[in-house]
Amino acid sequence: MLDATSSYKIMDQRIPVDDRTGRRIVPETHSRADRLATTRYGNRPTMKDVAARAGVGLKTVSRVVNGEAGVTPETEHRVREAIEALGFRRNDSARVLRKGRTASIGLVLEDLADPFYGPLSRAVEEVARANGALLINGSSAEDPEREQELVLALCARRVDGLVVIPAGDDHRYLEPELKAGVATVFVDRPAGRIDADVVLSDNFGGARDAVAHLIAHGHRRIGFIGDMPRIHTAAERLRGYRAAMEDAGIEVADAWTSLGVTDPQRVRRAAEEMLSGPSPVTAIFTGNNRVTVTVIRVLAEHTRRVALVGFDDIELADLLQPGVTVVAQDAATLGRTAAERLFRQLDGTLLTPERIELPTRLITRGSGELPPAD
Amino acid sequence: MLDATSSYKIMDQRIPVDDRTGRRIVPETHSRADRLATTRYGNRPTMKDVAARAGVGLKTVSRVVNGEAGVTPETEHRVREAIEALGFRRNDSARVLRKGRTASIGLVLEDLADPFYGPLSRAVEEVARANGALLINGSSAEDPEREQELVLALCARRVDGLVVIPAGDDHRYLEPELKAGVATVFVDRPAGRIDADVVLSDNFGGARDAVAHLIAHGHRRIGFIGDMPRIHTAAERLRGYRAAMEDAGIEVADAWTSLGVTDPQRVRRAAEEMLSGPSPVTAIFTGNNRVTVTVIRVLAEHTRRVALVGFDDIELADLLQPGVTVVAQDAATLGRTAAERLFRQLDGTLLTPERIELPTRLITRGSGELPPAD
DNA sequence: TAGAGCCTGGACAACGTTGTCAGATGCGGG
DNA sequence: CCCGCATCTGACAACGTTGTCCAGGCTCTA
């Protein structure tokens, strides 16, 4: 019975959609209630069903499905018909169990919605796709515990590899996984207490260049608003800021640096404070794209011209008045490099963990070239 | 031997990190060559190994791992020690095979890097997380074949559900999957030739409002630059544009609409054409965020003031001169609603496919309120 | 002290696939 | 006509987990 009603072709689209007469054979839709009533989860057709219907052995179906040699065209045809008729789809879970590889990689980042991670994710996805793998991804929300939880869940799924933008600084929990052969690459920030591939931007150099740029334009009282120094990138950028100041022989006043603020409200207040008081800053260096955006808003409300250089590029930065000078990192290259290394690990081509540092680029657009408004 | 060197605690972090004496027991790092030499993929410890080491039966280990009742505290302790010592991690592939549910859902969208999809993905992820599921996602790059390929790959992994932003317009290939109980929700664009849940923005209404807004400010020659009408959202927005024009009794000149252009180069040319010639437009309605950004660039180069309303909000739109008036859709709500419906389908709470349309919001910031520069 | 009942633990099958290996079939040549 | 060989096919075990079911030991009560 089921055979009779489900014998239409599905997978190859050769359905003769005759709007006048075809209806009985090919119902356009099924109500969900129908579906649930007729099929409980798990009674999908299996290779066994296909084999029975085609009148062949189990292994023959497997051969057809996997394009292995040794099947007569005629037999293959019968099998394919059965597959189409039943709507069979290979169960990759079972396949994985048998074969050992899942053809999927995990990507753990901080926040899927952050524009910085969009291009990075896509780059990782593209490389994965080129290598026939799917991408499973999740956000840690900057929480080390959640990062670990996520990573271990991915390992339980037996992803072949992991691209991790770490939130925590101790990754020894990954030791058993690394030993078991899970390829792993850390991106954007280094791994903690573990020897693994790392792909980073030159946060220190980029920050130092940015601040040096401001100094070259005559600024001496330069503020820095950045994330918690617990985060490696934030710490490096802070270090770059300090290095540039020290190189110029400028002593940094406490009031000029604000660390760990991250929500717009507090960034706003931090900026306001730097801009007021007895010796207000004449320029601000912002530690990431979110901070930059907020500070742009604050500065827009001020009449006094304050110079600004931001870490990370932001869209439309060139159209603002003045254009926003930034230190841009190449998120796509970061992701692509990491993913490529991952697959080279899986190839066995890559044996020694390395630390790769990608250069940043100072893009001058106006805001960083404003003279001090003393 | 192996036992002796690997008996440190891993999973519960209770490692006595004694920097002076602890080193011999807990090696900080292993070279990857070591790992590959000693362990080929697949020889991870299994429950059987854990059982053998703890001197208990297989099922007892399973009970401990899954927190089932019926295990003496003392036995449980022995099992946990064995788990930690071996670095055992349950293989979810095997689990899935047995249980039938994978606790993962698939998200197919157009482009992970598009800022519109960032908040949407995150919303889906959050709901998934709240329901204990992982998110597998991929980009279709607006290619129907690739969409299908991706969706079917996800089905082969036996995801419990799918959130799809469709690229194609025929989804009958999903029939067997729906019958098999794969929960499915389409977002942003409707499903084709199949009866399924759909969550959309009110593209028609939003576009009509946008254009009516321009008309209310005195414009009559209004241009529209949008995506291929093959894409549902683009078609709806075009329809909204035309409806508003018709309501105002304005006949739309051919030269005013440009469809299917998508790369910056061609959008730029299309905009230039509208702005020149005998009867240039005095306002432009742009059909999506990418087009809007390009058109902003073009307009910035022109001296004549041209009004602009864009579909989709863009970051920093308020800081440009003038601020960019947009029709904003709520990507996060779109994603959240879809994901929530998905899990309600899985619950069995939800039986009838529905089409949900979310309102859009006109945000006036200046560019849409410019008078015609006739 | 015996019996009933409960609690813990373990043997075994099953999930759907793939690898191994041996059996069946057909063909051509001696 | 039969044998050998090549080609095609299928039975079976295994992957690592969980559900079922039963055995054995314990406690408690009569």
Side-chain angles (χ1 to χ4, degrees), chain A residues 247-294:
Chain A
D247 287 352
I250 304 171
E251 197 172 338
V252 176
D254 281 354
W256 297 350
T257 64
S258 161
L259 305 175
V261 303
T262 175
D263 63 299
Q265 290 290 352
R266 294 175 59 204
V267 169
R268 180 171 280 275
R269 210 170 53 224
E272 300 283 10
E273 277 170 19
M274 282 180 196
L275 293 168
S276 57
S279 71
V281 300
T282 62
I284 298 182
F285 171 52
T286 49
N288 68 45
N289 54 359
R290 282 165 308 209
V291 174
T292 306
V293 168
T294 306

Side-chain angles (χ1 to χ4, degrees), chain A residues 47 59 62 66 91 95 98:
Chain A
M47 284 194 177
K59 182 63 214 216
S62 171
N66 293 292
N91 183 333
R95 176 166 219 251
R98 191 66 230 264

Side-chain angles (χ1 to χ4, degrees), chain B residues 57-180:
Chain B
L58 191 53
K59 181 64 212 208
T60 301
V61 177
S62 172
R63 274 195 268 260
V64 171
V65 169
N66 293 294
E68 285 169 36
V71 182
T72 323
E74 193 231 346
T75 308
E76 175 171 348
H77 183 73
R78 275 219 315 287
V79 172
R80 290 212 181 280
E81 271 190 345
I83 288 177
E84 288 162 11
L86 297 174
F88 166 81
R89 196 92 59 208
R90 181 177 65 196
N91 183 334
D92 277 351
S93 290
R95 175 164 220 250
V96 159
L97 183 57
R98 191 66 231 265
K99 301 208 79 149
R101 286 281 160 116
T102 55
S104 54
I105 67 173
L107 171 62
V108 177
L109 36 72
E110 189 221 320
D111 178 3
L112 267 174
D114 186 319
F116 174 70
Y117 295 117
L120 196 152
S121 307
R122 185 176 57 182
V124 172
E125 190 211 350
E126 269 164 17
V127 177
R129 188 178 137 78
N131 286 273
L134 283 180
L135 185 64
I136 308 184
N137 60 29
S139 308
S140 68
E142 209 61 88
D143 172 355
E145 254 182 69
R146 195 161 146 185
E147 171 212 301
Q148 176 171 348
E149 189 186 302
L150 206 51
V151 165
L152 292 182
L154 292 168
C155 289
R157 302 283 160 120
R158 294 293 185 270
V159 291
D160 297 335
L162 286 166
V163 175
V164 182
I165 292 163
D169 51 9
D170 187 348
H171 297 93
R172 281 174 297 175
Y173 69 85
L174 266 172
E175 277 290 353
E177 314 302 329
L178 294 178
K179 285 181 92 165

